[in-house]
Amino acid sequence: MKLQEQERRGRGRPRSDQARRAILRAARELIRENGLAALTMEGIAAKAGVGKPTVYRWWPDRHAVAMAALMEDGPSESGPTLGEGRIPRRRLSTIQSLEQHLKKVIEVFAQPVGRTVARMIAAADDDSELSKAFRNHFIVARREEGRALLLRAIELGEIRADLDVETALDMIYGALFFRLLLGHAPLNEALARQIVSEALRGMRL
Amino acid sequence: MKLQEQERRGRGRPRSDQARRAILRAARELIRENGLAALTMEGIAAKAGVGKPTVYRWWPDRHAVAMAALMEDGPSESGPTLGEGRIPRRRLSTIQSLEQHLKKVIEVFAQPVGRTVARMIAAADDDSELSKAFRNHFIVARREEGRALLLRAIELGEIRADLDVETALDMIYGALFFRLLLGHAPLNEALARQIVSEALRGMRL
Amino acid sequence: MKLQEQERRGRGRPRSDQARRAILRAARELIRENGLAALTMEGIAAKAGVGKPTVYRWWPDRHAVAMAALMEDGPSESGPTLGEGRIPRRRLSTIQSLEQHLKKVIEVFAQPVGRTVARMIAAADDDSELSKAFRNHFIVARREEGRALLLRAIELGEIRADLDVETALDMIYGALFFRLLLGHAPLNEALARQIVSEALRGMRL
Amino acid sequence: MKLQEQERRGRGRPRSDQARRAILRAARELIRENGLAALTMEGIAAKAGVGKPTVYRWWPDRHAVAMAALMEDGPSESGPTLGEGRIPRRRLSTIQSLEQHLKKVIEVFAQPVGRTVARMIAAADDDSELSKAFRNHFIVARREEGRALLLRAIELGEIRADLDVETALDMIYGALFFRLLLGHAPLNEALARQIVSEALRGMRL
DNA sequence: GGATAATCGAGACGGTACGTCGCGTCTTCAT
DNA sequence: ATGAAGACGCGACGTACCGTCTCGATTATCC
């Protein structure tokens, strides 16, 4: 990261970070107001009080601006649910922590912006760096939290050691994603409990 | 219902089903050739040898045409995997049948059109009848097959009777969907086995 | 004429003169309401409660319908201003009659429909029978009245006998037409007097 | 006025006069090739190698483009027929000059483009600035030449001083217009002589 | 009186052009 | 020499009418 920034240094006057922030702020508000489909580069530039070429200088298309905008203040990190000293403090088992974690994830993604984020991830048909970063920011990071919990649970002997962790994670987070995008059943906190409960029976020693 | 239909009949030139089919055929080919993003109403009309208003007379936007087109000859039904007489013939347990079924689903959705279908489902942010029909056609119908298999398995005593079938189904199919849309891991036949295997341990008596 | 009508007779359902009248009536009202430019075949058919093909069966395009409609109840004939017994009765000289005649013509064409008629005549770039009939109905017929008056004036020795009647008529009616279409000066009754006055000095013995 | 112009300057890319000229040129050629009725905004834009919005940025509709196009190189000015030193040189009386002038006007308007121009003037039912400019360019300017000639003739004692010049001008030019638009009689050079001759008898001392 | 046939209202059809919107690029001026 | 402003070429949008056609229903003449 730092290397990239340093590479950029030296050539000409640095770009106005103020313009960049105005653009992202405008994009964010427009998405909230009218949804992703109604987001246009022209609208962003106009709302940000910025020329269109300035927007294009930073991002190649509206999708990229939207991703950047949502990553800046989208659903916030769910926080350090896995603090070393935290679990003992609350006397939560690792599995209970997983359920708590899933509840938070559900809470975030059940909101309008969360749904937008999920749709953007699903709809993206490219493999640009930004797309990867976006997926990583919103999904993979959470899945990593889940993985850490599962590994810790194995370590602690709460679940069986020969668990296929990757598949288990896809089943857990996939169930959330599936309900969110399909809409065939509610995406509420009860789901967290149900998922953990069902998964647990398969993961028990 | 009948009254409405009767009211509608008899007046004016009837809609040309030939035009309808030509439109869907053109849309299908265009999607296969250039992908969903490059699909335009104008292109569809031109390729179908049809006026633009005729396309709009049938469907409100390109998304709807695409859905209708893919539903007409998208990934075909995976077939009657649960025929009464079939399972004994092949000597497959219900759970083995589920794995076979998942393999077929994966096979279909791993193909380009399958990915397109999945993205369309995920990206749809409306609840129109067509959207529901599309989801039903491609996802819900398969999930129903899965449910039938699980219920049969319960009946036959292959898995525990107090299983939360809905959650289990969301975990199974969600895992597929998740991998397909996130692309963080391959969507291959091995996944079917892994999913069933992991899920099974939780579903055993 | 009768032969043509007899030739037309046949087996099928005869054309509905009621439909014809409804079409012309609708066209007339639409012209009055929104002007000629806003007149459409669809609008006419809808307003007349008639199918489009029925309109096309009678007239080839909207211009033709408009002409037919305006000819049916456009500016009415200015009446028999040249009745043999009428002039003596009113003790008007032929030239005074000409002025009266021009006043009536001006009165008609100064109205909105009159302006529409004039524009239609000017804008027509075809030489169809209907166009000729239209010009004849609204312009030539009046010019003929003028010619009759001039010829009579010559006969009576009110103006010189070697007058170029055709040119004189074009100058008289052309002046009206010119003001109407150019709009550079008012088209009012005073003009009738001015035209006759100026023309007369050139037409006197 | 100057303030408005100054306000407008400096911001943004200036309008391309090259595009403007290409549009007018294309419109002119299309009118000559297929006539006014076949002129479309789309055709103009395509032929000019310009986007449709650019055409609309300059003119509101096809009529306006046509007017602007014809004004740029329509029938050229008939030239300084009333040069101070010219009349004596050619030993033409003012009235003879008027006849010459009318011949030139006739020559121009008897050509296809001249007829188109006349029809456009007649058909225009608005009072936009452009319509006025168009009428002024093609008709009023010539009528002004005629007025100058008549006024000079009065000055020189060639015609009577109490002539109603405006009415006389309308009769003279109206006769041309009338024949052009009605087409009931030829619009040729003989007409110039006839008009002047007939008008003169009324204008003589 | 039944068959035949042209017309009727209705409205979908293949088209053309409309006028607008947004794209991504460019050109100019002010800072 | 950057950045806002905004025009540019382009292409698709969704709509309005065009003039034609295909329906079922109606209304006349002819056999």
Side-chain angles (χ1 to χ4, degrees):
Chain A
M1 288 294 229
K2 274 195 174 180
L3 283 176
Q4 284 183 4
E5 283 171 7
Q6 281 175 353
E7 279 179 323
R8 193 98 66 77
R9 290 270 176 81
R11 298 273 186 97
R13 171 180 163 184
R15 293 179 191 164
S16 160
D17 196 63
Q18 189 182 333
R20 187 182 160 279
R21 277 182 282 111
I23 290 164
L24 293 182
R25 177 194 167 89
R28 231 174 289 133
E29 293 181 6
L30 288 171
I31 290 171
R32 277 194 231 280
E33 287 166 15
N34 309 112
L36 186 62
L39 188 70
T40 67
M41 290 300 241
E42 295 206 333
I44 293 166
K47 180 146 194 163
V50 143
K52 274 200 289 175
T54 302
V55 185
Y56 282 103
R57 217 167 278 128
W58 287 92
W59 300 277
D61 53 46
R62 99 190 85 176
H63 211 78
V65 184
M67 285 183 180
L70 292 173
M71 283 174 68
E72 281 239 326
D73 93 331
S76 61
E77 296 290 337
S78 59
T81 48
L82 190 63
E84 277 291 332
R86 199 176 171 190
I87 296 163
R89 232 189 284 138
R90 298 209 177 186
R91 297 287 172 193
L92 291 177
S93 72
T94 308
I95 289 305
Q96 282 172 321
S97 291
L98 176 64
E99 191 177 319
Q100 289 296 101
H101 163 69
L102 289 180
K103 279 182 182 172
K104 284 179 183 168
V105 172
I106 285 171
E107 193 180 0
V108 168
F109 279 96
Q111 290 166 0
V113 172
R115 303 187 83 91
T116 298
V117 166
R119 290 190 196 293
M120 285 178 66
I121 288 168
D125 58 350
D126 63 335
D127 277 320
S128 66
E129 283 306 308
L130 190 61
S131 287
K132 286 177 190 165
F134 194 70
R135 282 197 292 265
N136 187 70
H137 183 82
F138 286 107
I139 305 292
V140 181
R142 281 159 177 77
R143 195 173 172 282
E144 291 301 304
E145 294 184 55
R147 189 214 305 279
L149 285 164
L150 288 192
L151 292 178
R152 180 163 177 78
I154 289 172
E155 206 177 309
L156 296 175
E158 296 182 22
I159 58 177
R160 65 185 165 87
D162 62 341
L163 177 72
D164 181 344
V165 177
E166 295 308 315
T167 299
L169 288 169
D170 285 348
M171 292 176 75
I172 290 167
Y173 290 90
L176 299 183
F177 217 58
F178 197 63
R179 282 217 186 176
L180 176 59
L181 293 175
L182 269 289
H184 61 291
L187 184 70
N188 52 29
E189 294 202 353
L191 183 62
R193 192 172 38 73
Q194 291 162 0
I195 288 173
V196 171
S197 168
E198 293 304 318
L200 192 57
R201 295 239 208 165
M203 294 183 233
R204 70 172 182 254
L205 291 176
Chain B
M1 289 296 235
K2 275 196 172 180
L3 282 175
Q4 284 182 4
E5 285 170 6
Q6 282 176 353
E7 275 180 304
R8 203 186 272 260
R9 294 201 49 230
R11 302 266 241 234
R13 177 177 176 172
R15 289 209 195 163
S16 161
D17 197 62
Q18 188 182 332
R20 188 184 158 277
R21 278 181 283 111
I23 290 164
L24 294 182
R25 178 193 167 88
R28 230 174 290 134
E29 293 181 5
L30 288 171
I31 290 171
R32 277 196 230 280
E33 287 167 16
N34 309 113
L36 187 63
L39 188 69
T40 67
M41 290 299 245
E42 225 152 42
I44 294 166
K47 181 148 196 164
V50 146
K52 265 198 293 178
T54 300
V55 185
Y56 283 102
R57 217 169 275 128
W58 287 92
W59 300 277
D61 51 47
R62 104 194 76 179
H63 208 79
V65 184
M67 285 184 179
L70 293 173
M71 282 174 70
E72 283 239 326
D73 92 333
S76 61
E77 296 291 336
S78 58
T81 47
L82 190 63
E84 278 290 331
R86 198 177 170 190
I87 295 164
R89 230 188 286 137
R90 296 210 178 184
R91 296 286 173 197
L92 290 176
S93 72
T94 308
I95 290 305
Q96 283 173 320
S97 291
L98 176 64
E99 192 179 318
Q100 289 295 100
H101 162 70
L102 290 180
K103 279 182 183 171
K104 284 179 182 168
V105 172
I106 286 171
E107 194 180 359
V108 168
F109 278 96
Q111 291 165 358
V113 173
R115 304 186 81 91
T116 298
V117 166
R119 291 191 195 293
M120 287 178 67
I121 288 168
D125 58 350
D126 64 334
D127 277 319
S128 65
E129 284 307 308
L130 188 62
S131 287
K132 287 176 190 165
F134 194 70
R135 283 197 291 264
N136 187 72
H137 184 82
F138 285 108
I139 305 293
V140 181
R142 282 159 176 77
R143 194 175 172 280
E144 291 301 303
E145 293 183 57
R147 175 193 278 123
L149 285 164
L150 289 190
L151 292 177
R152 181 161 177 79
I154 289 171
E155 207 178 306
L156 295 176
E158 295 181 21
I159 59 177
R160 65 184 166 88
D162 61 342
L163 178 71
D164 181 345
V165 176
E166 295 308 315
T167 300
L169 287 168
D170 285 347
M171 291 176 77
I172 291 167
Y173 291 90
L176 299 182
F177 216 59
F178 198 62
R179 283 217 186 174
L180 175 60
L181 292 174
L182 270 290
H184 61 289
L187 185 70
N188 51 29
E189 294 202 352
L191 183 62
R193 193 174 36 75
Q194 290 160 1
I195 289 172
V196 171
S197 168
E198 293 304 317
L200 191 58
R201 296 238 205 165
M203 292 184 232
R204 69 169 180 253
L205 289 178
Chain C
M1 289 296 230
K2 274 194 173 180
L3 283 176
Q4 284 182 4
E5 284 171 6
Q6 282 174 352
E7 278 178 319
R8 192 93 71 78
R9 289 266 175 80
R11 308 243 283 168
R13 175 178 176 173
R15 287 200 198 166
S16 161
D17 196 63
Q18 188 182 333
R20 186 184 159 277
R21 278 182 282 110
I23 290 164
L24 293 182
R25 177 194 167 88
R28 232 175 288 134
E29 293 181 6
L30 288 171
I31 290 171
R32 278 196 231 280
E33 287 168 15
N34 308 113
L36 186 63
L39 188 70
T40 67
M41 290 300 242
E42 280 192 339
I44 293 166
K47 180 147 194 163
V50 144
K52 274 199 290 176
T54 302
V55 185
Y56 282 102
R57 215 168 276 126
W58 287 92
W59 301 277
D61 52 46
R62 99 192 83 177
H63 210 79
V65 184
M67 285 183 179
L70 293 172
M71 283 174 69
E72 281 237 329
D73 93 331
S76 61
E77 295 290 337
S78 59
T81 47
L82 189 63
E84 276 291 330
R86 199 176 170 189
I87 296 163
R89 232 189 284 136
R90 298 211 178 182
R91 295 287 173 195
L92 290 177
S93 71
T94 309
I95 290 304
Q96 283 173 321
S97 291
L98 177 63
E99 190 178 318
Q100 289 295 101
H101 162 70
L102 290 180
K103 279 182 183 172
K104 284 178 183 168
V105 173
I106 286 171
E107 194 180 0
V108 168
F109 278 96
Q111 291 165 0
V113 173
R115 303 187 82 92
T116 297
V117 166
R119 291 191 195 292
M120 286 178 67
I121 289 168
D125 58 350
D126 64 333
D127 277 319
S128 66
E129 283 307 307
L130 189 62
S131 288
K132 286 176 191 166
F134 194 71
R135 282 198 291 266
N136 187 71
H137 183 82
F138 285 108
I139 305 292
V140 181
R142 281 158 177 79
R143 194 174 172 282
E144 290 302 303
E145 294 183 56
R147 176 194 277 122
L149 284 164
L150 288 191
L151 291 177
R152 182 163 176 78
I154 289 171
E155 207 178 307
L156 296 175
E158 296 183 21
I159 58 177
R160 65 185 166 89
D162 61 343
L163 178 72
D164 180 343
V165 175
E166 295 308 315
T167 300
L169 288 168
D170 285 347
M171 291 175 76
I172 291 167
Y173 290 91
L176 299 182
F177 217 59
F178 198 62
R179 283 217 185 175
L180 176 60
L181 293 174
L182 270 289
H184 61 291
L187 184 70
N188 52 29
E189 294 202 353
L191 182 63
R193 192 172 37 73
Q194 290 161 2
I195 289 173
V196 171
S197 168
E198 292 305 318
L200 192 57
R201 296 239 207 166
M203 292 184 232
R204 70 169 180 255
L205 290 175
Chain D
M1 290 295 236
K2 275 196 173 181
L3 282 176
Q4 284 183 4
E5 284 170 6
Q6 282 175 352
E7 275 180 307
R8 204 187 273 258
R9 295 201 46 230
R11 302 266 241 235
R13 178 177 176 173
R15 290 209 195 160
S16 161
D17 197 62
Q18 189 181 332
R20 188 183 159 277
R21 278 182 282 111
I23 291 164
L24 294 182
R25 177 193 166 89
R28 230 175 289 134
E29 293 181 6
L30 288 171
I31 290 171
R32 278 195 231 281
E33 286 167 16
N34 308 112
L36 187 62
L39 188 69
T40 67
M41 291 299 244
E42 225 152 43
I44 293 166
K47 181 149 196 162
V50 144
K52 266 199 291 178
T54 301
V55 185
Y56 282 103
R57 217 170 275 128
W58 287 93
W59 300 278
D61 53 46
R62 102 193 78 180
H63 209 79
V65 184
M67 285 184 180
L70 292 173
M71 282 174 69
E72 282 238 327
D73 92 332
S76 62
E77 296 290 336
S78 59
T81 47
L82 190 61
E84 278 289 331
R86 198 176 172 192
I87 296 163
R89 231 188 285 140
R90 296 208 178 184
R91 296 288 172 195
L92 292 176
S93 73
T94 308
I95 291 305
Q96 283 172 320
S97 292
L98 177 63
E99 192 178 318
Q100 289 295 102
H101 162 70
L102 289 180
K103 279 181 182 171
K104 284 179 183 167
V105 172
I106 286 171
E107 193 181 359
V108 168
F109 278 95
Q111 290 165 0
V113 172
R115 303 186 82 91
T116 298
V117 165
R119 291 192 196 292
M120 286 177 66
I121 288 168
D125 57 350
D126 64 334
D127 277 320
S128 65
E129 285 305 309
L130 189 62
S131 288
K132 287 176 190 165
F134 194 71
R135 283 196 292 264
N136 187 71
H137 184 82
F138 285 108
I139 306 292
V140 181
R142 282 159 176 79
R143 194 174 172 281
E144 291 301 303
E145 294 183 56
R147 176 194 278 123
L149 285 164
L150 288 190
L151 292 177
R152 180 161 177 79
I154 289 172
E155 206 178 307
L156 295 177
E158 294 181 24
I159 60 176
R160 64 184 167 88
D162 62 341
L163 177 72
D164 180 344
V165 176
E166 296 307 316
T167 300
L169 288 167
D170 285 347
M171 292 175 75
I172 291 166
Y173 290 90
L176 300 182
F177 217 59
F178 198 62
R179 282 216 187 175
L180 175 60
L181 293 174
L182 268 290
H184 62 290
L187 184 70
N188 51 28
E189 294 202 353
L191 183 62
R193 194 173 36 74
Q194 290 162 0
I195 289 173
V196 171
S197 168
E198 292 305 318
L200 191 57
R201 295 242 205 164
M203 294 182 232
R204 70 171 181 253
L205 290 176

